[in-house]
Amino acid sequence: MEPNVRQVLFWVLVLHCGSAEGSILYRVQEEQPPNTLIGSLAADQGLPDSGHLYKLEVGAPYLRVDGKTGDIFTTEIPIDRETLRDCRTLVKGKPCYLEFEVSVTDLIQNQSPRLIEGRIEVQDINDNTPQFPSSVLTISVPENTIMGALFSIPLATDRDSDRNGVADYALTAGPDAATLFGLQVADDRGGRLPQLIVLGNLDRELKDSYDLTIKAMDGGNPQRYSSALLRVVVTDANDNSPKFERSTYEAEVSENSPPGHSVLQVKANDSDMGSNGEIEYTLHQAVDPVSTLLRIDRSSGIIYVKGSLDREEISSLSFYVVARDKGPQPKSSKTFVTIEVTDQNDNAPVVEIRGIGLVTHSEGVANISEDMPVGTAVALVQVSDKDEGENAMVTCVVAGDVPFQLRPASDSSIDSKRKYFLQTTTPLDYERIRDYRVEIVAVDSGNPALSSQNSLKVQVTDVNDNSPIFSPTLFEVDFAEENQPGEKVLDVIASDADSGTNAELLYSIVADSSIKGLFEIDPNTGTVRARSPLDREHKERYEFRVTAADKGSPVHKGTATVVINVLDRNDNDPKFMLSGYSFSVLENMPPLSPVGMVTVLDVDKGENALIDLSVEPDGGKFVVQNGTGTILSSISFDREKESSYTFRLKAVDGGEPPRSSYVAVTINVLDENDNNPVVTKPSNSSFRRLSPLASPDSHVEIVEAEDLDSGPNAELVFSISGGNPYQLFRISPSSGEITLAKEMTRKHGGLHRLVVRVSDRGKPARHATALVHIYVNDTISNVSLVEALVGHSLYTPLERDIAGDPDYGFAAQRSNILFGSLAGVAGVVMLILVVVFIRHRIQRETKSGYQAGKKETKDLYAPKQAPKNAKGKRGRKGKPQKSPKPLGEDEEVSLQKSLKFNLDGVNDSPRIHLPLTYSPGSPDIGRHYRSNSPLPSIQLQAQSPSASQKHQAVQDLPAANTFVGTGGDDNSTGSDQYSDYSYKTSQMKYSNKQ
């Protein structure tokens, strides 16, 4: 069978079962053990056996239902037919039913449950023994009773029904009574009525009582029975028994009749006279509820209401009334009385509300999930009225404005008991309204009408239909770096409109490899903490997602974004890109020129990354620009004075407290070809004697020069640029050594003036010119003559060769007389001036700190060179100049006598500077004298300046060094008379012949 067809058949059967009372009927014997199967709704009635939930609504505690199959079972509480409320007052022969109700809920389509009503006929078993009212029963029999007379024996009762009830009696008598008494059992209204029959004549005087045994037996199997002592008392004769006018009486009494209300009167007559005819009425063997509700007037036979009559409890009373005369041996008779209790509208409708299907009730509260569809049954409402007829016809409504209504649960025709589903009319929303108070009002049709009401609190239970919501969905926070582990960053809070566990949230961080191990979140509070210290320099911004998941089923989640901006702390020192800086700069750069650039970084941020640079120690020579890191010079460099500078740069950031770092800086001053070579040997005014017999390659002289520059700028090249027309001499380009190139002849005798050019290898190259005088002769007989020739050479243009012509020597000798005279006069004047000048200079330098070698502003012979920072203030090679040494008295006298000048220590002694004037036709020797080289002073001994002492020579022709005239010496350092005095009056010039 197709599933859809089966489902349709199922609901047809359910509706059919609800359309007629008792359409589903099971039978079961009472007192069955627990879990005895009574019936299967699915199997027996063709109902679905899967996808549905069966729930027992009515029938507990005697029944239980399997939720899946609908099988009905007994429980631990046995079904006792005799104790069931609806079976205790049943008229014998009527079946006993146990009603049940089962709701069936479709779990697949989530429909409202259906109600199945049924009954279980509880079949009697022989579980009770017949019982007599007393263990001793007494019957009075008059002694003149005729044989065959019948006397009623008290009935035995059995709580079982039908055949299991009292089925028969047996009488056991002793030998003396067996012939007198017998037992007759008659059927009376479905019951067995035992009667004692008199079989013989009784004689009271012979024996007044007999003891018999009466036994009552039921019809069960196995049979159960009990016995009682039946004592027959023989009384005096009484002829007539009372006789009722009617064999049965029937009457009606309204329920709720007050006590004392007369119901009916029974009447019996007795034809005897006197006390034998006086009748007394009693209720025969009256037991509850007859003895409780009714009483009879013993004289009149009127039956009155004794207790409160309630038709809903007992609708009918049946009993016997015995009429007994008052004779010595009273006789009696009985009649059967039936009283029907009629209804009054004394009961208000009863509204019972109980759970149905999956909806459970507890203490008047029903819980229903908010996601149930419209039409879901919340409760089963049963409205009943114990009255009958119109008094039991009830109208039931839902009061108030609530989203619930009543729908009949079945089409039962019993007006006094109607069942309804209380179902929803609109969708429920827990987040909007969480509970309702549903009032159900029932009104009967009596006059006056009675009503009642009952209420049910419907609590809408939350389903997890809402996701957690973060507000806001973006959490952004600033958090300082270098935090402590576990330090709180922020709280993220989400809310869930659900309740209970559906609103209990668990927070978590969405897995992200970029923040792994850095952050954690408290799953219960949403507090985000940093698990480890953060480093802004490593990462400045973190972004991740957090999730709030509820504990409902299914789980709902909400997410939010967390942005953590890591704030900077001043935790990093400024850092130079290099551990040390070395820059190379050219000398002679103007002040404030950039010499280098450093890069310093601070990975911090903001004020913490603002860097201030400074020079340490701050000697004023360098400054550094903040921002660019450019190092500027405050001075112009002179490599010859200082070739390198070393200092530190200090970088301080703007943090609090500030952090700093240092770096060493070296400035290497590169050489610039800014110095001319300086000839240190020989002096321009000196000469060297050379024998005419000297062989070629003989050493003649060596020219020594030096250059304050370095590298190629200080590499010197020597060459002979003039004065060597016969190519007698050659010079080594590297060493400056002059050697004889070939043998000399007689014409080569005399003075030779070689013009030696000393050039460096700089670009552009710089040079100096030196005069090397060589006197070719066997001996020097007249030093003055040679000195005069040398002095004249100094004023001879360089383009004219002086190359040892003998005529040149003779002409010079002729002029020697004039030169000697002038020299003598000049020497005296010179001596006086020198002494005065030296004393004056010594005194002035003592006061002013004059240093030897310092240029004079009015020195006509000093070279006019462009000023350079700090140049000329130090001695050569950076060594300080020695203090000038004043002349002693002995030296002064010696000078006066010898008319010679002392040049001992050229750089240490004060110099005499005399202005020179020249004729227009004379060579421009003054131009060469205006140089950095110091002017000569006169000394007595022939000395050449030390090679270690520098001459700041930038002229084409270096200034003359010292002359010393010494008899018999081949070498001369020159005569100062030609250096310091003019030859205006007797200027010698070489003629063409010469």
Side-chain angles (χ1 to χ4, degrees):
M1 182 182 295
E2 295 295 329
N4 293 337
V5 176
R6 185 181 303 161
Q7 190 173 16
V8 172
L9 179 60
F10 159 69
W11 293 119
V12 170
L13 289 173
V14 169
L15 294 175
H16 175 72
C17 292
S19 63
E21 182 183 7
S23 58
I24 296 180
L25 177 64
Y26 293 108
R27 294 180 177 84
V28 65
Q29 291 182 340
E30 63 173 333
E31 302 292 346
Q32 293 301 308
N35 299 318
T36 298
L37 178 62
I38 297 175
S40 175
L41 295 176
D44 300 339
Q45 305 298 326
L47 301 179
D49 58 357
S50 63
H52 292 76
L53 175 66
Y54 294 86
K55 181 185 176 186
L56 182 69
E57 305 292 347
V58 176
Y62 305 106
L63 305 175
R64 72 172 182 85
V65 173
D66 185 284
K68 295 181 179 180
T69 63
D71 293 344
I72 303 175
F73 297 93
T74 60
T75 64
E76 299 294 334
I77 300 177
I79 302 175
D80 186 359
R81 180 181 178 279
E82 289 74 35
T83 59
L84 291 178
R85 176 182 174 183
D86 295 338
C87 299
R88 285 179 297 187
T89 58
L90 283 176
V91 178
K92 285 188 177 292
K94 287 189 176 182
C96 172
Y97 294 106
L98 175 63
E99 294 182 349
F100 67 87
E101 295 175 6
V102 176
S103 63
V104 184
T105 303
D106 188 342
L107 299 177
I108 299 176
Q109 298 185 0
N110 198 20
Q111 295 179 346
S112 182
R114 303 294 180 178
L115 187 66
I116 299 176
E117 296 175 297
R119 296 187 298 172
I120 299 174
E121 180 182 346
V122 181
Q123 297 176 341
D124 185 51
I125 62 173
N126 193 23
D127 57 344
N128 292 282
T129 301
Q131 298 291 333
F132 287 99
S134 175
S135 59
V136 177
L137 305 175
T138 301
I139 295 178
S140 297
V141 178
E143 61 178 344
N144 58 350
T145 299
I146 61 174
M147 290 186 293
L150 299 174
F151 295 88
S152 297
I153 299 174
L155 297 175
T157 58
D158 193 326
R159 298 177 64 184
D160 296 326
S161 64
D162 297 334
R163 61 185 183 87
N164 292 325
V166 178
D168 204 358
Y169 293 90
L171 184 65
T172 302
D176 54 346
T179 58
L180 299 176
F181 302 100
L183 179 66
Q184 178 180 310
V185 180
D187 291 328
D188 182 25
R189 295 180 177 81
R192 303 288 284 172
L193 183 63
Q195 293 175 321
L196 181 69
I197 183 172
V198 178
L199 299 178
N201 295 320
L202 302 177
D203 186 354
R204 180 176 178 279
E205 288 74 17
L206 180 63
K207 191 172 182 177
D208 58 357
S209 66
Y210 298 91
D211 288 335
L212 308 174
T213 300
I214 183 68
K215 180 179 180 181
M217 297 167 290
D218 62 23
N221 185 19
Q223 191 178 61
R224 302 172 75 100
Y225 61 87
S226 64
S227 300
L229 177 64
L230 179 61
R231 180 166 292 166
V232 180
V233 177
V234 181
T235 62
D236 290 335
N238 187 3
D239 295 334
N240 297 295
S241 297
K243 293 189 179 293
F244 283 95
E245 295 178 353
R246 296 167 59 183
S247 58
T248 60
Y249 289 87
E250 293 181 355
E252 291 183 350
V253 61
S254 177
E255 64 174 333
N256 300 322
S257 295
H261 175 74
S262 61
V263 181
L264 75 103
Q265 182 178 17
V266 295
K267 188 172 180 59
N269 298 313
D270 193 327
S271 57
D272 291 329
M273 300 297 292
S275 58
N276 291 334
E278 294 179 6
I279 299 173
E280 185 179 58
Y281 300 94
T282 59
L283 299 177
H284 179 62
Q285 296 183 1
V287 294
D288 286 337
V290 176
S291 61
T292 301
L293 299 177
L294 301 176
R295 70 178 178 84
I296 190 168
D297 187 279
R298 300 177 72 85
S299 301
S300 63
I302 299 174
I303 299 174
Y304 294 97
V305 175
K306 178 182 177 181
S308 178
L309 293 175
D310 187 355
R311 186 201 65 80
E312 289 73 34
E313 293 293 333
I314 299 177
S315 60
S316 177
L317 296 172
S318 297
F319 53 91
Y320 286 96
V321 174
V322 175
R324 182 177 290 103
D325 59 26
K326 297 182 179 179
Q329 295 83 30
K331 290 188 175 183
S332 63
S333 62
K334 60 181 179 180
T335 186
F336 187 75
V337 178
T338 299
I339 298 176
E340 297 291 336
V341 181
T342 60
D343 183 56
Q344 284 190 343
N345 193 23
D346 60 343
N347 290 281
V350 176
V351 180
E352 297 180 56
I353 303 175
R354 60 178 184 262
I356 182 70
L358 298 176
V359 182
T360 59
H361 291 198
S362 176
E363 298 180 355
V365 177
N367 295 309
I368 181 172
S369 177
E370 63 174 329
D371 64 343
M372 287 296 182
V374 175
T376 297
V378 177
L380 180 65
V381 179
Q382 178 175 293
V383 181
S384 61
D385 196 320
K386 294 181 180 180
D387 297 324
E388 62 181 359
E390 289 192 357
N391 296 333
M393 297 181 64
V394 180
T395 301
C396 186
V397 295
V398 175
D401 184 14
V402 291
F404 298 94
Q405 68 180 9
L406 293 173
R407 179 176 64 83
S410 64
D411 296 330
S412 175
S413 60
I414 301 177
D415 292 333
S416 61
K417 183 184 290 187
R418 290 184 177 273
K419 295 176 182 177
Y420 302 91
F421 287 129
L422 178 65
Q423 64 184 21
T424 59
T425 58
T426 60
L428 303 179
D429 187 357
Y430 169 84
E431 288 71 35
R432 189 172 64 88
I433 301 178
R434 299 189 176 188
D435 57 69
Y436 299 88
R437 174 63 64 176
V438 182
E439 298 282 346
I440 300 175
V441 179
V443 182
D444 63 21
S445 301
N447 189 15
L450 298 178
S451 65
S452 64
Q453 65 181 21
N454 197 355
S455 64
L456 174 67
K457 182 179 181 180
V458 179
Q459 285 187 339
V460 182
T461 59
D462 183 47
V463 295
N464 199 22
D465 57 345
N466 290 280
S467 298
I469 297 176
F470 285 95
S471 181
T473 57
L474 173 63
F475 294 88
E476 187 164 3
V477 65
D478 294 334
F479 187 68
E481 64 175 337
E482 298 298 325
N483 55 286
Q484 295 297 322
E487 186 174 339
K488 176 181 174 182
V489 179
L490 78 159
D491 290 316
V492 293
I493 299 176
S495 60
D496 195 316
D498 296 323
S499 66
T501 56
N502 295 331
E504 294 179 7
L505 304 181
L506 292 176
Y507 297 92
S508 61
I509 296 176
V510 178
D512 189 343
S513 59
S514 64
I515 63 164
K516 186 177 181 181
L518 290 178
F519 300 98
E520 63 183 1
I521 189 170
D522 189 297
N524 298 316
T525 64
T527 299
V528 178
R529 299 182 183 276
R531 298 181 60 184
S532 58
L534 302 182
D535 186 359
R536 188 202 65 81
E537 291 71 38
H538 173 69
K539 191 169 185 180
E540 191 171 3
R541 185 176 186 270
Y542 293 92
E543 181 175 336
F544 54 90
R545 291 189 304 151
V546 293
T547 299
D550 57 32
K551 296 182 180 179
S553 179
V555 175
H556 285 267
K557 297 180 179 180
T559 59
T561 301
V562 176
V563 175
I564 299 175
N565 297 314
V566 183
L567 299 181
D568 185 56
R569 293 183 190 267
N570 195 22
D571 58 341
N572 290 279
D573 294 331
K575 184 178 181 181
F576 290 93
M577 295 302 292
L578 300 177
S579 59
Y581 289 87
S582 179
F583 301 106
S584 296
V585 297
L586 291 174
E587 60 179 336
N588 302 318
M589 290 175 59
L592 298 181
S593 297
V595 298
M597 180 180 292
V598 298
T599 302
V600 58
L601 299 176
D602 194 321
V603 293
D604 293 324
K605 189 178 182 182
E607 293 291 333
N608 298 330
L610 294 179
I611 300 173
D612 180 72
L613 293 172
S614 61
V615 177
E616 288 190 358
D618 188 4
K621 296 180 180 179
F622 298 94
V623 293
V624 61
Q625 288 182 341
N626 285 310
T628 64
T630 302
I631 302 173
L632 305 176
S633 65
S634 299
I635 60 174
S636 180
F637 299 108
D638 186 352
R639 190 201 63 81
E640 289 71 35
K641 290 184 178 180
E642 195 164 357
S643 61
S644 66
Y645 299 85
T646 301
F647 54 89
R648 291 195 310 171
L649 287 183
K650 180 180 181 181
V652 181
D653 63 24
E656 184 62 37
R659 301 176 75 99
S660 61
S661 63
Y662 297 85
V663 69
V665 178
T666 299
I667 306 295
N668 296 308
V669 181
L670 299 179
D671 184 53
E672 190 178 53
N673 197 19
D674 59 343
N675 290 281
N676 291 339
V678 175
V679 177
T680 60
K681 180 184 178 183
S683 173
N684 289 338
S685 58
S686 65
F687 64 90
R688 169 82 64 178
R689 186 189 68 84
L690 181 63
S691 174
L693 301 178
S695 61
D697 297 327
S698 297
H699 172 77
V700 178
E701 181 64 281
I702 185 167
V703 179
E704 295 181 0
E706 59 184 18
D707 195 319
L708 296 179
D709 295 322
S710 64
N713 297 331
E715 294 180 6
L716 302 180
V717 178
F718 299 86
S719 63
I720 298 173
S721 62
N724 191 24
Y726 305 116
Q727 302 298 316
L728 286 177
F729 305 97
R730 59 172 174 261
I731 190 169
S732 173
S734 59
S735 65
E737 181 183 7
I738 300 174
T739 58
L740 186 63
K742 59 184 179 179
E743 292 181 354
M744 293 182 291
T745 65
R746 183 176 178 275
K747 70 175 183 177
H748 295 149
L751 183 65
H752 291 259
R753 184 186 68 177
L754 298 179
V755 181
V756 177
R757 184 183 181 93
V758 182
S759 302
D760 59 25
R761 296 182 183 272
K763 291 184 179 180
R766 287 178 174 268
H767 66 274
T769 302
L771 299 181
V772 180
H773 293 89
I774 302 170
Y775 186 69
V776 180
N777 200 12
D778 292 332
T779 62
I780 298 177
S781 59
N782 189 346
V783 174
S784 297
L785 176 61
V786 177
E787 290 176 351
L789 293 175
V790 170
H792 187 267
S793 164
L794 296 177
Y795 292 94
T796 301
L798 299 180
E799 60 270 16
R800 294 183 61 181
D801 292 331
I802 300 175
D805 190 348
D807 294 338
Y808 171 82
F810 176 76
Q813 187 175 10
R814 284 187 305 171
S815 62
N816 189 41
I817 297 172
L818 178 60
F819 289 157
S821 298
L822 292 176
V825 175
V828 173
V829 175
M830 190 71 171
L831 178 62
I832 296 171
L833 292 176
V834 167
V835 171
V836 174
F837 185 74
I838 290 175
R839 287 184 178 274
H840 175 71
R841 291 291 297 272
I842 291 173
Q843 292 175 358
R844 191 177 67 176
E845 289 183 0
T846 304
K847 294 179 181 180
S848 62
Y850 175 83
Q851 292 183 359
K854 187 173 182 181
K855 297 181 179 66
E856 300 282 338
T857 58
K858 294 184 179 181
D859 188 357
L860 299 178
Y861 302 98
K864 303 302 180 179
Q865 188 180 11
K868 294 180 65 175
N869 290 340
K871 282 196 174 185
K873 294 183 181 180
R874 290 187 181 181
R876 181 168 41 87
K877 300 291 184 179
K879 296 181 181 179
Q881 300 292 343
K882 294 182 181 180
S883 300
K885 180 179 180 183
L887 294 174
E889 291 182 358
D890 295 339
E891 295 175 349
E892 184 176 349
V893 172
S894 176
L895 288 172
Q896 291 176 351
K897 289 182 178 181
S898 61
L899 298 179
K900 299 277 197 273
F901 291 99
N902 184 10
L903 194 58
D904 185 13
V906 173
N907 294 328
D908 299 333
S909 300
R911 299 182 178 91
I912 298 175
H913 305 284
L914 297 178
L916 298 177
T917 58
Y918 308 102
S919 63
S922 64
D924 191 6
I925 301 301
R927 178 174 60 89
H928 302 288
Y929 278 32
R930 288 191 288 270
S931 65
N932 284 340
S933 298
L935 291 176
S937 60
I938 299 174
Q939 66 174 7
L940 298 180
Q941 299 296 327
Q943 281 189 342
S944 296
S946 173
S948 64
Q949 294 176 334
K950 286 189 177 180
H951 295 262
Q952 301 174 351
V954 294
Q955 75 282 7
D956 291 338
L957 182 62
N961 285 339
T962 59
F963 287 178
V964 176
T966 57
D969 191 358
D970 291 342
N971 297 327
S972 173
T973 58
S975 174
D976 196 52
Q977 56 183 327
Y978 299 103
S979 300
D980 296 335
Y981 294 101
S982 170
Y983 288 88
K984 289 183 179 180
T985 58
S986 59
Q987 194 173 39
M988 293 183 65
K989 294 185 180 179
Y990 290 106
S991 63
N992 291 333
K993 293 181 181 181
Q994 293 174 334

